């Protein structure tokens, strides 16, 4: 990690440690912690990390933003930081200035579409949109006869069907019925919905890897505290084996996620097979790790890990919920299969070896 990435990540870490302690949040049923946390994040310029100075952001690099997302995953942050960062990045692709406040992106699934009508309005329906209810603006990727466009939309002009995701955060359905956007501009050449989904998938992969790291730390600490049959459960071979498996899943997820992030950082264009392979593979592997890792962590904790009072569920449920955002593991597995099949058998090994 470069020095600049360290500084940005350390800033995020300090804010989360001071204002987003998992146990404190667990005890706060009114959500009073959210406003001070978001204010601190905004003052540090983290929500608009990927937005250049001239468009209203802090002008951080892609690598610095990715480091923040990994830290956010380690704290299972339940505010739309990742979503606002992604929305700002999307708006930047079309040189649209980012407004202040929380944002999220539409669509959040590869199967949903938003249409740009002839009169400039937007129509469509997007399901499973994270934090739509909490956002003030949407960054929308829409397609029309003129190609793909990026639009900034006022949330007040849309109809939102409230929903709650597995992690307890808003996961809503947004309907646009000839909504007039604040601004619309053409997307760059080659930029399409797959590009947005891949970027979103890498964002979620980094968050999942961070959450798994936290689950491993919590599980190791608990195993050294919990006593059964007059000795710490960390001394039992079965528990040691499970913790080793959890560490393996954490390492695999982190390797896959950071490799995909590095590929995007160093890519001249996101419209390449290398970016597709890395991003899709990371989403598949991290999603698998979320399932296996969460199961192991809860097994180590036993019944107490399932209680609402314990902090483990803050990490495990969000890691599981993030699997479905911007394309599930099964969706990307199929898309990877199509890529390999289209390139032909002789091109499989060169493609894999090139990474």
């Amino acid at each position: 990690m470069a020095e600049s990435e360290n500084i940005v990540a350390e800033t995020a870490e300090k804010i989360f440690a001071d204002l987003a302690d998992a146990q404190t949040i667990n005890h706060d049923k009114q959500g009073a912690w959210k406003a001070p946390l978001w204010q601190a994040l905004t003052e540090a310029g983290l929500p608009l990390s990927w937005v250049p100075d001239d468009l209203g952001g802090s002008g951080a690099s892609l690598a610095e933003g990715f480091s923040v997302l990994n830290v956010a995953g380690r704290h299972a942050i339940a505010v739309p930081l990742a979503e606002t960062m992604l929305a700002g990045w999307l708006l930047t692709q079309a040189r649209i200035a980012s407004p202040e406040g929380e944002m999220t992106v539409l669509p959040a699934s590869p199967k949903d579409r938003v249409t740009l009508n002839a009169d400039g309005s937007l129509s469509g329906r997007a399901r499973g949109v994270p934090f739509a209810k909490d956002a003030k603006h949407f960054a929308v990727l829409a397609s029309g006869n003129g190609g793909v466009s990026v639009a900034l939309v006022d949330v007040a002009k849309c109809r939102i069907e409230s929903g709650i995701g597995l992690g307890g955060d808003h996961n809503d359905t947004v309907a646009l019925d000839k909504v007039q956007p604040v601004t619309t501009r053409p997307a760059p050449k080659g930029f399409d919905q797959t590009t947005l989904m891949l970027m979103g998938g890498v964002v979620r992969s980094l968050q999942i890897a961070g959450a798994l790291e936290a689950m491993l730390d919590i599980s190791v600490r608990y195993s050294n505290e919990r006593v059964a049959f007059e000795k710490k459960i960390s001394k039992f071979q079965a528990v040691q084996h499970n913790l080793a498996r959890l560490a393996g899943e954490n390492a695999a997820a982190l390797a896959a996620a950071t490799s995909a992030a590095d590929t995007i950082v160093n890519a001249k264009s996101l419209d390449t097979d290398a970016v597709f392979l890395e991003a899709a593979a990371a989403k598949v592997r991290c999603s698998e790790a979320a399932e296996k890792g969460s199961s192991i962590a809860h097994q180590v904790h036993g019944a107490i890990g399932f209680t609402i009072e314990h902090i483990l569920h803050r990490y495990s449920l969000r890691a599981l919920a993030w699997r479905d955002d911007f394309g599930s593991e099964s969706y990307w597995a199929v898309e990877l299969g199509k890529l390999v099949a289209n390139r032909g058998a002789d091109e499989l090994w060169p493609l894999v070896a090139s990474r």
Side-chain angles (χ1 to χ4, degrees):
M1 186 181 289
E3 184 178 354
S4 62
E5 294 172 50
N6 267 322
I7 293 172
V8 174
E10 287 169 6
T11 299
E13 182 74 51
K14 187 177 187 308
I15 292 173
F16 297 147
D18 291 344
L19 300 172
D21 173 68
Q23 197 63 66
T24 302
I25 291 174
N26 241 16
H27 291 152
D28 182 3
K29 306 303 181 184
Q30 305 303 316
W33 58 272
K34 291 185 179 181
L37 173 60
W38 188 257
Q39 181 178 350
L41 291 171
T42 301
E43 289 173 354
L46 296 180
L48 298 181
S49 295
W50 286 331
V51 178
D53 295 340
D54 61 334
L55 293 178
S58 55
S61 67
L62 279 173
E64 290 166 342
F66 283 139
S67 69
V68 170
L69 292 167
N70 185 243
V71 175
R74 288 205 300 271
H75 289 268
I77 295 304
V79 294
L81 173 62
E83 291 73 18
T84 302
M85 288 175 62
L86 187 60
W89 173 82
L90 176 59
L91 293 172
T92 298
Q93 304 309 302
R95 300 295 299 170
I96 297 174
S98 292
E100 294 183 357
E102 298 90 334
M103 293 189 289
T104 190
V105 295
L106 302 181
S109 166
K111 296 182 179 179
D112 292 334
R113 294 286 185 276
V114 177
T115 301
L116 179 63
N117 302 315
D119 62 355
S121 65
L122 300 171
S123 298
R125 184 180 177 86
R127 299 161 296 176
V129 179
F131 292 104
K133 199 81 172 178
D134 299 311
K136 293 180 174 63
H137 290 90
F138 295 138
V140 183
L141 189 69
S143 55
N145 292 333
V148 180
S149 298
V150 178
L152 176 65
V153 174
D154 187 341
V155 168
K157 296 182 179 180
C158 306
R159 188 174 74 254
I160 300 176
E161 298 173 15
S162 183
I164 299 296
L166 188 60
D169 303 321
H170 273 290
N171 194 263
D172 312 301
T173 298
V174 179
L176 299 92
D177 184 11
K178 295 185 177 180
V179 171
Q180 287 294 339
V182 177
T183 310
T184 306
R185 288 186 182 171
K189 184 179 179 181
F191 193 99
D192 58 14
Q193 189 161 326
T194 297
T195 310
L196 174 60
M197 294 300 115
L198 289 171
M199 185 65 171
V202 173
V203 167
R204 286 299 190 240
S205 296
L206 287 164
Q207 290 179 280
I208 288 172
L212 283 166
E213 186 177 348
M215 283 189 272
L216 176 60
D217 290 342
I218 293 168
S219 298
V220 169
R221 185 168 62 248
Y222 178 77
S223 70
N224 283 315
E225 295 171 350
R226 178 75 168 91
V227 175
F229 303 106
E230 300 183 350
K231 65 178 179 179
K232 296 176 180 178
I233 64 171
S234 61
K235 302 298 182 182
F236 290 100
Q237 190 173 25
V239 174
Q240 293 173 352
H241 177 67
N242 272 344
L243 289 173
R245 287 174 55 213
L246 177 54
E249 293 298 328
N250 174 217
L254 185 60
T258 54
S259 179
D262 287 344
T263 301
I264 289 177
V265 167
N266 296 309
K268 294 181 180 179
S269 169
L270 298 184
D271 186 25
T272 65
D273 284 351
V275 170
F276 187 98
L277 174 67
E278 289 276 359
K283 190 58 163 48
V284 171
R285 187 62 187 91
C286 290
S287 296
E288 291 177 353
E291 181 182 7
K292 296 176 182 176
S294 297
S295 175
I296 294 168
H298 279 282
Q299 189 173 25
V300 170
H301 280 78
I304 194 172
F306 289 93
T307 62
I308 196 67
E309 291 79 14
H310 200 279
I311 63 172
L312 181 61
H313 66 85
R314 290 194 57 80
Y315 303 90
S316 60
L317 292 181
R318 282 184 176 82
L320 292 171
W322 289 332
R323 294 183 305 165
D324 290 331
D325 293 340
F326 307 106
S328 65
E329 60 198 275
S330 59
Y331 171 83
W332 287 117
V334 170
E335 293 303 305
L336 272 176
K338 290 178 181 177
L339 172 66
V340 172
N342 291 336
R343 288 175 65 99
D346 293 340
E347 291 297 318
L348 175 58
W349 177 247
L351 176 64
V352 175
S354 67
R355 308 311 313 150

